[in-house]
Amino acid sequence: MAGSDLMKTLMFTINNLLQQEKYKVALAVLKGFRNGAVYGAKIRAPHALVMTFLFRSGSLKDKLKAILKATYTHSRNLACFVFTYKGLQGLQQKIQGKSLQSHAFLAACVGGWLVFGENNNINSQINMYLLSRILFALSRLAVEKGVIPAPKQDPFPLFATLVWGIVLWLFEYYPHTLQPSLQSSMTYLYHDSNVWHDISDFLVYNKPRTISQK
């Protein structure tokens, strides 16, 4: 009974603390860290699982280690970035007494340099993912602000034409310039489909199953 009362008191105290306006910025930073960790794990774990079992060789133990490492790295980095970004944004707002657009840019620049500045596979994938999104967003913003005229026709077909033309040209003649994961995917699609020996590796398997010979 005493334990139950203690738990109720503890929960009441915590919930009361969470409602305090003076702690809102600090608490938002902590929840941002939590959300970054959870979201990073949610989106990396399935991706790492699929890519590892499709394209990575090695034992099951090695594959599971690779999946856990990739998931942990993505989750940790995103959590640390959100923590840094929200913390610096809140600090700038407190110093200047108001929120400015430059606060978001500067806080994110510092966070990006500290967290995503290391050149590794996880950070490279995240940064390039964001690059494609911001190029789209900046194009739309330029039209919205009148910097460039609105296109008379939908530019998406031209965009798709150039994207696929360039990426396949790079893959066929300069594959070393592409990300390893993209190289693996394209090799599976465009090069592995040129090789088969019988019906087994034509329809059932991508490559012939090795049979140990005595």
Side-chain angles (χ1 to χ4, degrees), residues 110-177:
V110 174
W113 180 69
L114 291 174
V115 179
F116 292 112
E118 181 183 352
N119 190 1
N120 57 49
N121 290 338
I122 301 297
N123 287 349
S124 182
Q125 289 173 3
I126 295 172
N127 288 337
M128 287 195 293
Y129 171 88
L130 290 177
L131 176 61
S132 64
R133 268 55 181 179
I134 65 173
L135 289 176
F136 259 95
L138 288 173
S139 298
R140 290 168 177 158
L141 185 62
V143 172
E144 182 181 307
K145 298 294 184 180
V147 177
I148 59 176
K152 296 179 180 179
Q153 295 181 337
D154 184 4
F156 195 83
L158 177 60
F159 162 76
T161 300
L162 292 175
V163 166
W164 284 96
I166 292 171
V167 75
L168 265 299
W169 167 68
L170 288 172
F171 171 69
E172 296 291 0
Y173 297 101
Y174 305 97
H176 63 281
T177 62

Side-chain angles (χ1 to χ4, degrees), residues 26-213:
L27 292 172
V29 171
L30 292 177
K31 185 171 183 182
F33 181 88
R34 177 263 179 201
N35 285 4
V38 171
Y39 187 77
K42 279 184 176 182
I43 62 175
R44 175 55 59 173
H47 177 270
L49 178 69
V50 172
M51 297 301 291
T52 298
F53 278 95
L54 273 180
F55 301 115
R56 190 184 182 97
S57 59
S59 66
L60 177 61
K61 183 178 180 181
D62 290 338
K63 291 180 179 179
L64 291 176
K65 280 185 176 180
I67 294 169
L68 290 174
K69 182 180 179 181
T71 302
Y72 168 76
T73 301
H74 195 146
S75 177
R76 179 200 63 198
N77 286 6
L78 197 54
C80 290
F81 175 82
V82 176
F83 182 89
T84 303
Y85 169 72
K86 290 183 70 66
L88 291 176
Q89 196 177 31
L91 180 62
Q92 291 177 96
Q93 184 175 348
K94 184 174 183 180
I95 292 173
Q96 294 193 275
K98 58 182 178 179
S99 179
L100 301 173
Q101 291 189 25
S102 60
H103 293 171
F105 179 77
L106 292 175
C109 282
V110 174
W113 180 69
L114 291 174
V115 179
F116 292 112
E118 181 183 352
N119 190 1
N120 57 49
N121 290 338
I122 301 297
N123 287 349
S124 182
Q125 289 173 3
I126 295 172
N127 288 337
M128 287 195 293
Y129 171 88
L130 290 177
L131 176 61
S132 64
R133 268 55 181 179
I134 65 173
L135 289 176
F136 259 95
L138 288 173
S139 298
R140 290 168 177 158
L141 185 62
V143 172
E144 182 181 307
K145 298 294 184 180
V147 177
I148 59 176
K152 296 179 180 179
Q153 295 181 337
D154 184 4
F156 195 83
L158 177 60
F159 162 76
T161 300
L162 292 175
V163 166
W164 284 96
I166 292 171
V167 75
L168 265 299
W169 167 68
L170 288 172
F171 171 69
E172 296 291 0
Y173 297 101
Y174 305 97
H176 63 281
T177 62
L178 299 175
Q179 279 295 104
S181 59
L182 182 57
Q183 289 182 48
S184 297
S185 300
M186 291 198 157
T187 298
Y188 182 86
L189 291 169
Y190 305 115
H191 286 179
D192 288 358
S193 56
N194 292 332
V195 181
W196 63 87
H197 301 85
D198 54 36
I199 191 67
S200 66
D201 61 347
F202 185 79
L203 286 180
V204 183
Y205 305 102
N206 177 45
K207 294 182 179 180
R209 304 183 70 182
T210 56
I211 301 176
S212 60
Q213 297 181 350

